[in-house]
């Protein structure tokens, strides 16, 4: 059976995309474990790791946008206001 391992290479965009999605998924797992943890020491450690991971994830995101690998759109002022109004405390009955 031939080995395909040597034939597979990732370019920079693929590598960064994989890293971004992996870090997003890891953040979800950290959030789940943090909410299930009873030990205050372990929770503190996990929160520190979560914060570090979120900084790394943001750095990858900025690198991708800087290099044109991840396109974003600016929201118009009215769209921002509608979004904020939609999720205001009065709208979701938390006031």
């Amino acid at each position: 059976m031939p080995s395909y391992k040597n034939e597979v290479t990732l370019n920079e965009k693929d590598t960064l995309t994989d890293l971004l999605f992996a870090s997003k998924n890891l953040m979800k797992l950290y959030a789940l474990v943090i909410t299930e943890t009873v030990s205050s020491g372990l929770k503190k450690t996990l929160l520190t790791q979560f914060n570090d991971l979120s900084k790394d994830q943001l750095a990858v995101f900025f690198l991708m946008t800087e290099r044109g690998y991840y396109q974003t759109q600016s929201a118009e002022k009215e769209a921002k206001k509608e979004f904020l109004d939609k999720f205001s405390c009065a709208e979701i009955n938390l006031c």
Side-chain angles (χ1 to χ4, degrees), residues 2-64:
S3 173
Y4 296 102
K5 185 175 182 179
N6 294 334
E7 297 176 25
V8 176
T9 58
L10 295 175
N11 60 29
E12 182 181 64
K13 180 181 180 182
D14 293 336
T15 302
L16 290 172
T17 300
D18 188 50
L19 185 57
L20 181 67
F21 287 124
S23 62
K24 286 181 177 183
N25 286 326
L26 189 54
M27 288 183 71
K28 291 175 190 176
L29 292 172
Y30 266 105
L32 176 66
V33 172
I34 288 167
T35 59
E36 297 294 326
T37 301
V38 177
S39 166
S40 60
L42 179 57
K43 188 178 288 274
K44 182 178 178 182
T45 299
L46 291 170
L47 285 168
T48 299
Q49 296 289 331
F50 181 83
N51 287 333
D52 290 346
L53 177 60
S54 70
K55 291 174 189 173
D56 292 342
Q57 183 269 329
L58 188 59
V60 172
F61 170 77
F62 283 142
L63 183 61
M64 291 183 74

